[in-house]
Amino acid sequence: MEKKATSNETQPLTSKRGTSDCNEGEDCKENGLLIRNPKSALRLVEDGNKVHPGQGDKEEAAQISNGYSGVQGSGMGEVEDAQCTATAAMTTTTTTTSTTCGAEGQQQLMELEDRETWSKKIDFLLSVIGYAVDLGNVWRFPYICYQNGGGAFLIPYTIMAIFGGIPLFYMELALGQYHRNGCISIWRKICPIFKDLYVASYYNTIMAWVFYYLVSSFTTELPWTSCTNAWNTGNCTTYFSKDNISWALHSISPAEEFYTRQVLQVHRSNGLDDLGGISWQLTLCLLLIFIIVYFSIWKGVKTSGKVVWVTATFPYVILFILLVRGATLPGAWRGVLYYLKPEWQKLLATEVWVDAAAQIFFSLGPGFGVLLAYASYNKFHNNCYQDALVTSTVNCMTSFVSGFVIFTVLGYMAEMRNEDVSEVAKDMGRLTFGFLRECICVLSIERTSNSNKWIRLCQVLGPSLLFITYAEAIANMPASTFFAIIFFLMLLTLGLDSTFAGLEGVITGVLDEFPHIRSKRREFFVLGLIIVCFLGSLATLTFGGAYVVKLFEEYATGPAVLTVVFLEAVAVAWFYGISQFCNDVKEMLGFTPGWYWRVCWVAISPIFLLFVTCSFLSNPPELRLFDYNYPYWTTVVGYCIGTSSIICIPLYMVYRLIITPGTLKERILKSITPETDTEIPFGDIRMNAV
């Protein structure tokens, strides 16, 4: 005889039900499950960081977070011995019974309670700031601002931050803090079919270049100030000389030759098809960097949270020193005027808005798994909303202030060259270490108005601003050795913060997905990951390594990361459900996000990501570095690199649909439904509508 399922049997686990039907000391049926009536609460609220819900919020507060079932009471909150519960669901044709043992659930609860947390709130804030404020903020933003209308650029930049960058930043912090999982296992609780992992490690090679410059700065005379070194050629000429120097078409500054011939040694490589040998100097520098990184993160956030007290604050001290020094240089005011002078007509150009969107996105850095990892170590009721606003504001203000540091020096260089600042600014190009664009050296002849010097304008786009233009300016300042040391030390600390964060995102994601690794020894896993990253970087340490870095930078990050974050935004807002997500935030913080955040998460942020992604795909890069034109086959390799970063997503989708039982519709529904620790009959799948 067929039986009709009662409403109680088909009620989802996540539905809100009171506990009044349960008598004390007796078992009762709730949400289709047979549960034991607890005498005390399951506490997930940490001492000293509680949010006390109002009377009207008690029903919501009774729902235990992170996928664990429980009932909240008024006792001291001990966790009782878990009981094995049976779930029975009856349909018109079949009867399905599944049993889960409470011992497994108890073990999961113990793992949740034992999860490492930040020692202090400031450790988390400094770690996030150190990750968000990287070399892209400090060096790329000033040029982008100048190129796209000066002070007028702040309007699209602010709009993109308010409606695109900050909402995504807030969303990732809230997701990580609520679900307390890294970038892999968190998808089980949001939308299992979108599980993916993204890793990029070539960033550390650029840090090896910085380290080489730092070591080379410990001399009485900086090695890139003269043309008498072993690596210099007959074309080496310095236009900072007080003598009347004649510049020819092939004249090269000593700073450029030091960068290309001594540090990179690209003249010993014929391109990607002949990278040459490995530079032992850069290999040693990278090894030392990885040693520092390992002993900073091997114990988890307890150790890295202390290291960032130095690495996250030191750059601000150096920025202040460089700002004061730059402001006292002759001609500094000329650079500031060029930096802030508004060009309102440029606001009508589409590329200005594209640059603003790209800058704020890659500056805040959602999509790399770092924010999820860092937030997962927060206390459950930490105010991540306030953290998102504070760190985002600090990030944007740092970018703005850094422009004064850069352009005061450019004003000084214009004064020394007796040129206009606009001509000097051509040397800057599109700079960022987190998102390199062009690295093209263009020869041009310009005759100064008051001398017979011929100036070779090298429009080197990319890191050459740091290693050629700015390094050359420092070399011609009084106390050049001191300023060179603190300058490259600042760059190193900026890069170390981002390296800590990037590796922690991978470590947390893997350890949460495979908790048995964490229980056996985190230190060995971190060591293995460091070794893999080091070995994977060897190709970038060759004489032609700069060509490899350029190829990775153009194809491996931009569209891939944008695609991942777009899928994340869609999964949270449209599959997991914006209402459910806002309820999660309310459970943590005691208040529900307003309509502004809801609209941004549901519509504006995904459109923002599509806008940036399409802009990149519609303008494929034409790769050229120094005098080397990338052959056609490298474009194919580049697209393969970019595709490899996101190919795991559709492959896992197919795999998930194959292994899931049922019809195609049932497989799709189950694959987009958040998993829980207690098995739910298929008929009880809950869909979170927007």
Side-chain angles (χ1 to χ4, degrees):
M1 180 177 179
E2 297 180 354
K3 295 182 180 180
K4 184 177 181 180
T6 64
S7 60
N8 196 31
E9 291 169 338
T10 59
Q11 185 73 17
L13 282 178
T14 53
S15 62
K16 301 178 183 179
R17 289 288 304 272
T19 59
S20 58
D21 294 337
C22 299
N23 297 324
E24 184 177 359
E26 298 180 0
D27 293 341
C28 64
K29 184 178 292 185
E30 177 183 348
N31 298 337
L33 297 177
L34 189 63
I35 67 170
R36 183 179 180 86
N37 187 22
K39 296 181 181 180
S40 59
L42 174 63
R43 283 191 5 183
L44 291 178
V45 181
E46 297 83 353
D47 294 337
N49 195 16
K50 297 182 179 180
V51 173
H52 302 282
Q55 185 68 24
D57 298 333
K58 289 184 178 180
E59 185 178 0
E60 290 83 351
Q63 295 180 337
I64 302 302
S65 63
N66 305 315
Y68 298 101
S69 301
V71 180
Q72 184 171 348
S74 57
M76 291 299 294
E78 299 177 0
V79 180
E80 292 190 349
D81 295 338
Q83 305 294 327
C84 290
T85 62
T87 302
M90 293 173 291
T91 64
T92 57
T93 57
T94 60
T95 301
T96 303
T97 303
S98 61
T99 304
T100 59
C101 184
E104 182 181 355
Q106 185 180 25
Q107 181 180 1
Q108 292 172 335
L109 284 171
M110 292 176 62
E111 290 176 358
L112 179 66
E113 292 178 346
D114 293 340
R115 186 176 182 85
E116 186 180 17
T117 58
W118 298 97
S119 299
K120 297 179 181 179
K121 173 69 173 287
I122 190 64
D123 295 351
F124 166 71
L125 291 177
L126 289 177
S127 297
V128 174
I129 291 174
Y131 162 67
V133 179
D134 64 356
L135 296 164
N137 297 75
V138 177
W139 306 113
R140 184 173 187 261
F141 176 84
Y143 171 76
I144 292 296
C145 183
Y146 159 75
Q147 186 189 44
N148 292 285
F153 177 75
L154 298 178
I155 295 177
Y157 179 78
T158 303
I159 292 176
M160 291 299 179
I162 293 175
F163 293 102
I166 296 178
L168 292 171
F169 193 85
Y170 178 25
M171 181 186 71
E172 282 211 354
L173 289 183
L175 284 173
Q177 181 171 306
Y178 182 83
H179 294 288
R180 300 176 73 85
N181 283 111
C183 58
I184 304 178
S185 56
I186 195 174
W187 287 104
R188 294 202 307 264
K189 301 179 180 180
I190 299 174
C191 189
I193 202 171
F194 285 109
K195 183 183 292 186
D196 184 31
L197 176 64
Y198 172 83
V199 181
S201 61
Y202 60 88
Y203 182 89
N204 300 290
T205 300
I206 305 178
M207 300 314 304
W209 302 349
V210 174
F211 196 88
Y212 190 96
Y213 266 84
L214 176 63
V215 174
S216 301
S217 299
F218 286 91
T219 58
T220 55
E221 181 181 358
L222 296 177
W224 56 87
T225 58
S226 65
C227 296
T228 58
N229 303 287
W231 58 83
N232 292 127
T233 65
N235 295 325
C236 181
T237 313
T238 173
Y239 55 77
F240 274 93
S241 173
K242 295 182 180 179
D243 300 329
N244 192 21
I245 303 297
S246 296
W247 280 73
L249 179 63
H250 300 289
S251 295
I252 304 176
S253 69
E256 184 178 344
E257 287 201 343
F258 178 80
Y259 174 56
T260 58
R261 298 181 61 85
Q262 175 65 10
V263 180
L264 302 181
Q265 303 186 61
V266 292
H267 64 287
R268 302 177 65 179
S269 169
N270 295 323
L272 288 176
D273 52 351
D274 182 17
L275 295 177
I278 296 178
S279 171
W280 69 267
Q281 298 97 326
L282 294 181
T283 303
L284 181 59
C285 290
L286 185 61
L287 179 62
L288 293 175
I289 288 175
F290 273 128
I291 291 175
I292 296 173
V293 171
Y294 174 73
F295 286 106
S296 299
I297 66 174
W298 69 323
K299 292 291 187 180
V301 296
K302 296 291 186 183
T303 55
S304 63
K306 299 299 182 290
V307 176
V308 294
W309 279 76
V310 176
T311 58
T313 57
F314 183 76
Y316 287 96
V317 176
I318 303 306
L319 278 176
F320 177 76
I321 295 175
L322 293 177
L323 178 62
V324 173
R325 181 68 186 110
T328 60
L329 292 173
W333 62 272
R334 297 172 57 188
V336 174
L337 289 180
Y338 263 89
Y339 175 47
L340 297 179
K341 182 181 178 181
E343 298 181 37
W344 303 108
Q345 69 277 8
K346 287 194 174 184
L347 295 180
L348 301 177
T350 304
E351 58 269 17
V352 173
W353 295 83
V354 171
D355 284 345
Q359 174 63 26
I360 192 63
F361 175 83
F362 288 100
S363 175
L364 293 176
F368 291 91
V370 174
L371 300 178
L372 292 172
Y374 277 168
S376 70
Y377 297 110
N378 277 333
K379 296 180 180 179
F380 183 73
H381 292 291
N382 172 67
N383 194 339
C384 59
Y385 169 72
Q386 185 182 47
D387 296 342
L389 296 182
V390 170
T391 52
S392 299
T393 302
V394 171
N395 175 56
C396 295
M397 291 302 299
T398 303
S399 299
F400 178 67
V401 174
S402 298
F404 292 95
V405 177
I406 296 297
F407 274 87
T408 53
V409 174
L410 291 180
Y412 163 70
M413 294 186 67
E415 187 82 8
M416 295 293 294
R417 293 186 183 186
N418 197 18
E419 291 183 328
D420 192 80
V421 180
S422 61
E423 296 298 328
V424 180
K426 288 181 180 180
D427 293 359
M428 293 183 64
R430 295 176 177 268
L431 172 79
T432 179
F433 280 179
F435 198 69
L436 301 177
R437 296 301 299 162
E438 296 285 340
C439 289
I440 308 173
C441 191
V442 181
L443 292 180
S444 176
I445 300 297
E446 292 289 340
R447 189 179 181 87
T448 60
S449 57
N450 298 323
S451 70
N452 293 323
K453 294 182 181 179
W454 289 92
I455 305 298
R456 176 184 182 271
L457 295 180
C458 186
Q459 188 174 342
V460 189
L461 311 175
S464 303
L465 169 64
L466 298 179
F467 299 121
I468 298 178
T469 308
Y470 206 90
E472 191 172 32
I474 289 179
N476 289 275
M477 293 180 184
S480 58
T481 298
F482 168 75
F483 285 107
I485 291 174
I486 65 172
F487 172 71
F488 289 109
L489 190 59
M490 179 192 70
L491 298 184
L492 184 63
T493 54
L494 284 172
L496 285 174
D497 284 332
S498 297
T499 302
F500 296 159
L503 290 176
E504 187 60 53
V506 177
I507 294 168
T508 300
V510 174
L511 294 186
D512 285 344
E513 182 72 6
F514 307 101
H516 61 279
I517 299 178
R518 177 177 55 200
S519 61
K520 290 185 177 179
R521 292 299 281 184
R522 169 192 166 103
E523 295 87 346
F524 294 135
F525 172 74
V526 175
L527 178 61
L529 178 63
I530 292 290
I531 293 175
V532 170
C533 291
F534 177 77
L535 295 177
S537 302
L538 291 180
T540 64
L541 299 175
T542 59
F543 301 136
Y547 303 133
V548 180
V549 172
K550 170 72 173 177
L551 184 66
F552 272 96
E553 188 61 56
E554 289 291 350
Y555 288 102
T557 52
V561 177
L562 289 168
T563 302
V564 170
V565 182
F566 172 75
L567 294 176
E568 178 185 10
V570 171
V572 172
W574 294 92
F575 291 96
Y576 184 70
I578 194 64
S579 298
Q580 179 64 33
F581 178 63
C582 290
N583 289 336
D584 296 345
V585 175
K586 182 178 181 181
E587 185 179 346
M588 290 189 299
L589 307 183
F591 60 87
T592 304
W595 64 267
Y596 157 74
W597 297 106
R598 292 172 180 257
V599 171
C600 287
W601 289 326
V602 171
I604 298 179
S605 293
I607 294 175
F608 164 83
L609 292 168
L610 275 180
F611 173 69
V612 181
T613 304
C614 293
S615 68
F616 282 114
L617 296 179
S618 61
N619 296 290
E622 297 180 2
L623 297 186
R624 176 182 171 88
L625 181 60
F626 304 120
D627 296 326
Y628 175 69
N629 291 310
Y630 282 65
Y632 177 77
W633 62 266
T634 58
T635 303
V636 178
V637 174
Y639 280 116
C640 291
I641 293 173
T643 305
S644 66
S645 301
I646 58 177
I647 194 63
C648 296
I649 299 178
L651 289 179
Y652 182 79
M653 287 181 177
V654 174
Y655 167 77
R656 177 93 186 185
L657 293 176
I658 292 175
I659 66 172
T660 303
T663 65
L664 179 61
K665 180 179 179 181
E666 291 173 344
R667 294 179 182 185
I668 294 175
L669 290 176
K670 194 167 186 179
S671 296
I672 63 176
T673 301
E675 298 176 2
T676 60
D677 298 295
T678 303
E679 184 179 352
I680 306 175
F682 183 77
D684 291 342
I685 289 179
R686 171 177 57 83
M687 293 297 295
N688 293 300
V690 178

